[in-house]
Amino acid sequence: MLNGDGEMPAGVSPPFFSQGGTSMIVSWMTTNQCNLNCSHCYQDAGDRRSGELSTEEGMALIGQIARAGARILIFSGGEPLMRPDIFELVEHAAKCGLRPVFGTNGTLLTKETVTRLKEAGAAAMGVSLDSLSEEKHNRFRGHADAFRLTQEGIANCREAGLPFQLHTTVMDWNREEILGLMDYAVSAGASAHYLFFLIPVGRGVFLERTALEVEEYESTLRGIMEKAAGLPIEVKPTCAPQFIRVAEELGVKTRFRRGCLAGLSYCIVSPVGKVRPCAYMTEEAGDVRDRPFDEIWRESGLFETLRSREYGGACGVCAYGDSCGGCRARAGYYHGGDILAEDSYCAYGRGRLAPAAEPSGAKATASVRVDVEGGEGCRKSGRTEC
C-alpha cells in the first residue's frame, strides 16, 4: 500500500538509482480524463478512469519519486489540468525538491490557471502544437477550437513569465511543416521544441499507416538536426533515438548523450498506479499500490532487463548501441513483445546507409553509463526535461 507523506528528512539527500548514477525523470499520467480526442493518443484518453490515484495516494507517490532520486516530475495525462487537485499536487512536488513540469494540450491554460500554476511552483509547460494550419491541428486534436485555445494558452504563459516549450507529433501529413514549426517555436518565445515520432499504441495504432517510412524517418531526422544547429533554442527528436547518431554524423552539438531512456533514467506511472518504462510500452514494472515506487525503480525485473542493454539484431552489434540504444517501444511492438530486439525503424541498422566512421561514444563494454545531464542550468532553462 502507499504510505508516508513524502517529505524528505532534513539534511538527507535522496539516493540516485538511475542507470550509472545520473538523474532520472518520471512522468505521472495523473488522469485519463481529457477535453480533446487526439487521433494519436497513446493513452486512449477521454473519460476519467475508475480507480485513479487519489490526492492522498498522489502525494505519497510524489514523495516516493523524490526518494528514488528523480529530479523532474512531468504531470501528464490525459489532460493533467483536468484534475481538480492539480495545484495541490504541484505544490507538494516542489516542496519535495522536484521540478514540476507539464505535458498539456494547452487549451486549458487560461490566465488564471497559468497564474495559479506559477504560484504553486510549476517550472515549465510542454504545449502540444502539430500544425500552423488551424484546420489541420483541430482535426488531429479532435476539437473545433483547439488551435485558438492553444495559441491563447501559449500567449498566457509568455505574458505570465511561465516558461514553455512546444511539442509536435511528426506524421506524414505535417512532415513538410516541421522546419517551419521550429522557426515558429523560436518566434513564439518557446524555450525548446520537442518533436515526437509516432509509436503505434493506443489510438495511434490506427494511424500507423500515416507514420513516416524508414527512409523518410531518416531524412526527416537529418533535416531537423541540420536546422537545429542554427536555432537559439534546444530541439530534441523524441522516440527517435537515432538522432544521437545523426547529430554526430552531421557534427551538430547536443547536450544529450543517450537516445532511448526507457527504464534507464525515465519511466511513467499510469493514472491507476502502474509503472511502465515509457508511455509507449505496455509492459508493467509494478504497481505503486502494492509496492513503493522507489523499490519498483530499484528492483523491477523489467527494468533490470532494459538496463542490461543486451540488444538483439542490428542494435546488438551497432556501434551506436550505447548512445542510441534503439527505441525499445518500437522493438517490442514490431518483434512480438521482445523489448531487447532491434529497432527495425532504423535505416542505419537495416543497412540502408553507407557505414559511418566509428562514433566517439562507441561501446567498448556494456557498462558505459547513461548520461542525462541536468542540474541548475536545467532548472533555469525553462525546459520540461533534462
Side-chain angles (χ1 to χ4, degrees):
M1 298 294 293
L2 289 172
N3 56 66
D5 60 9
E7 297 290 345
M8 297 298 298
V12 177
S13 298
F16 282 74
F17 296 121
S18 54
Q19 186 79 348
T22 60
S23 59
M24 60 182 281
I25 303 167
V26 178
S27 177
W28 175 24
M29 299 173 181
T30 56
T31 181
N32 195 66
Q33 189 175 6
C34 189
N35 61 324
L36 301 187
N37 186 33
C38 304
S39 301
H40 66 307
C41 183
Y42 54 74
Q43 189 67 13
D44 197 13
D47 296 329
R48 182 178 175 85
R49 187 165 294 172
S50 175
E52 292 187 358
L53 298 181
S54 67
T55 301
E56 181 180 9
E57 289 174 316
M59 294 286 199
L61 170 64
I62 289 168
Q64 293 163 12
I65 289 171
R67 192 164 66 228
R71 180 170 293 162
I72 299 170
L73 175 58
I74 305 171
F75 289 94
S76 63
E79 174 47 58
L81 293 175
M82 297 196 77
R83 257 193 91 117
D85 59 357
I86 193 65
F87 305 107
E88 186 178 356
L89 294 169
V90 170
E91 184 176 12
H92 185 65
K95 287 180 178 178
C96 285
L98 295 166
R99 184 170 186 262
V101 299
F102 276 70
T104 172
N105 61 49
T107 62
L108 302 180
L109 288 171
T110 63
K111 290 184 178 181
E112 178 186 1
T113 295
V114 168
T115 298
R116 292 187 66 186
L117 284 169
K118 191 173 180 182
E119 291 174 347
M125 298 289 111
V127 181
S128 298
L129 184 67
D130 303 296
S131 176
L132 294 178
S133 162
E134 184 170 2
E135 178 186 359
K136 290 179 181 179
H137 180 83
N138 288 346
R139 182 169 62 246
F140 188 57
R141 292 286 162 176
H143 191 290
D145 217 15
F147 184 85
R148 180 185 65 82
L149 293 171
T150 296
Q151 291 290 336
E152 290 180 0
I154 290 171
N156 290 337
C157 288
R158 184 171 57 242
E159 292 169 9
L162 179 60
F164 67 93
Q165 65 184 46
L166 295 188
H167 292 170
T168 299
T169 299
V170 181
M171 310 284 288
D172 62 354
W173 60 265
N174 70 350
R175 179 190 176 201
E176 299 302 321
E177 288 191 67
I178 297 304
L179 302 186
L181 279 161
M182 292 167 69
D183 284 328
Y184 173 79
V186 175
S187 65
S191 60
H193 190 189
Y194 279 33
L195 298 138
F196 291 77
F197 285 73
L198 180 71
I199 307 290
V201 295
R203 288 198 288 268
V205 168
F206 303 104
L207 291 179
E208 184 176 2
R209 68 186 184 281
T210 68
L212 303 183
E213 297 295 336
V214 174
E215 286 84 357
E216 290 178 322
Y217 172 66
E218 177 75 19
S219 64
T220 300
L221 277 181
R222 296 185 79 84
I224 288 170
M225 297 315 296
E226 287 172 345
K227 176 78 171 179
L231 295 181
I233 65 172
E234 180 172 276
V235 175
K236 183 189 179 186
T238 302
C239 305
Q242 291 81 11
F243 89 92
I244 295 287
R245 167 183 55 79
V246 171
E248 183 160 332
E249 289 173 347
L250 295 173
V252 176
K253 293 183 179 180
T254 172
R255 68 185 179 88
F256 300 104
R257 298 294 178 266
R258 173 74 189 183
C260 183
L261 305 178
L264 303 180
S265 55
Y266 173 81
C267 71
I268 68 101
V269 182
S270 80
V272 296
K274 307 294 185 181
V275 180
R276 307 202 307 267
C278 83
Y280 304 100
M281 296 179 73
T282 57
E283 295 81 5
E284 295 179 359
D287 187 328
V288 298
R289 283 189 165 121
D290 298 330
R291 193 179 189 190
F293 172 86
D294 49 314
E295 289 185 12
I296 295 172
W297 178 254
R298 289 197 309 269
E299 302 170 7
S300 162
L302 176 60
F303 289 155
E304 288 180 358
T305 296
L306 288 166
R307 291 164 189 167
S308 76
R309 289 182 278 181
E310 295 177 352
Y311 305 133
C315 288
V317 296
C318 182
Y320 294 91
D322 276 314
S323 58
C324 166
C327 175
R328 295 301 98 209
R330 280 201 189 92
Y333 180 81
Y334 289 110
H335 294 277
D338 184 357
I339 59 175
L340 292 182
E342 70 178 24
D343 179 355
S344 300
Y345 218 64
C346 177
Y348 183 82
R350 292 173 69 169
R352 299 190 185 184
L353 300 175
E358 186 77 356
S360 59
K363 63 181 180 181
T365 69
S367 64
V368 179
R369 76 181 183 92
V370 176
D371 186 8
V372 182
E373 300 174 278
E376 188 65 21
C378 174
R379 288 190 288 275
K380 292 179 178 178
S381 70
R383 296 188 295 266
T384 65
E385 296 183 33
C386 283

